[in-house]
Amino acid sequence: MTRTFRQVDVFAPGPLPGNPVAVVHDAEGMSDSDMLSLARWTNLSETTFLLGPRSPEADYRLRIFTPAGELPFAGHPTLGSAHAWLEEGGEPRDAGALVQECEAGLITLRPTGGRLAFAAPPLTRYEDAVPEIRQAAVRCLRISPERVRSIRWIDNGPGWLGVLLRSAQDVLDLEPDMAAIDEKGLKLGVAGFFDAEAAPADIEVRAFVGSGDGPAEDPVTGSLNAGLAQWLMEQGLAPDRYVARQGTRLGRGGFVHVVREAGETWISGATRTVVSGHIDW
């Protein structure tokens, strides 16, 4: 069938790019194998498929595939797909928000400051890493243990292990052992704070996912930043409003805006359609 197709750049206001997501509209009738096959063909970190909702509370349903398989939730695909759905003429039930149904449940989105924001889903695993995992993460990152402030599971679907380093420069300097990350099956989200007044952001973030789910280092990652925000804010390590930069070492221009209001954490970023047309699949 011929279906409407968009490729949306997420989290970069320009001129450098952020993280692309491929969005397939009108995906009814596509099988799981069709979706996985197309995700492998686009060869992006995620390809999404828009379908009619099953929940009466949702505006649409989203399925999210990497080249390796389906994810219950992912951040930049959520923002990019909402952008594409609205651009194609989607009309939310509630004028001030829209509700996405995905494997992780219902995700609320809203416009804010010219950007789209999603409410961070609850963490499905949130606990300190045991010593064996801490040691494995340190070895994979090839960093001195003294540079590590904390390591904690912050999983909201993809399986993130959060690593907080002493500084943003420590994050930028990382040269991880990707083969070891693959071997251990870890997804490492690493963050460090800037301390200069004229810093480009409040926090530097990098995401290392191994080669099984696409690029070994993800350019800009909504789900990771959502988990990091919930962790760092709860521990009093980050303020209720901050900006994270990600993708610097990859030549990307990703900026993730984080706000906590009334106990909810919101993740927002720029979205823009770069490719639009039709796809035969």
Side-chain angles (χ1 to χ4, degrees), residues 82-274:
H83 170 97
W85 184 81
L86 290 168
E87 194 171 68
E88 188 62 12
E91 295 185 4
R93 288 173 169 81
D94 184 342
L98 59 97
V99 178
Q100 169 186 292
E101 177 185 355
C102 58
E103 294 301 304
L106 299 179
I107 307 295
T108 301
L109 297 101
R110 68 181 187 187
T112 177
R115 303 180 298 270
L116 283 171
F118 68 83
L123 297 173
T124 58
R125 186 178 187 184
Y126 182 56
E127 62 193 25
D128 286 334
V130 298
E132 180 183 354
I133 295 297
R134 286 181 59 91
Q135 292 162 12
V138 168
R139 286 196 297 270
C140 287
L141 293 174
R142 292 174 169 157
I143 194 168
S144 165
E146 290 73 29
R147 306 310 302 167
V148 178
R149 293 179 62 181
S150 185
I151 301 180
R152 192 171 182 85
W153 290 104
I154 49 170
D155 185 15
N156 50 20
W160 293 113
L161 180 66
V163 182
L164 181 62
L165 300 186
R166 293 290 177 188
S167 72
Q169 193 60 50
D170 284 332
V171 177
L172 289 167
D173 289 344
L174 287 173
E175 299 287 351
D177 184 342
M178 298 309 304
I181 292 174
D182 269 343
E183 180 184 347
K184 295 295 183 182
L186 293 174
K187 293 186 178 182
L188 300 176
V190 190
F193 288 90
F194 288 95
D195 56 12
E197 289 185 9
D202 299 298
I203 299 175
E204 187 74 29
V205 174
R206 295 177 73 183
F208 304 108
V209 296
S211 59
D213 285 335
E217 180 173 352
D218 196 57
V220 203
T221 319
S223 62
L224 169 59
N225 277 281
L228 285 170
Q230 288 161 294
W231 171 31
L232 299 176
M233 288 175 172
E234 186 211 71
Q235 297 293 317
L237 298 170
D240 286 351
R241 182 182 297 267
Y242 69 84
V243 177
R245 188 179 72 167
Q246 189 180 347
T248 310
R249 284 285 304 270
L250 300 176
R252 306 297 179 95
F255 287 92
V256 181
H257 297 258
V258 179
V259 176
R260 183 168 63 176
E261 294 176 351
E264 257 191 325
T265 302
W266 293 88
I267 308 297
S268 69
T271 53
R272 64 187 179 100
T273 298
V274 177

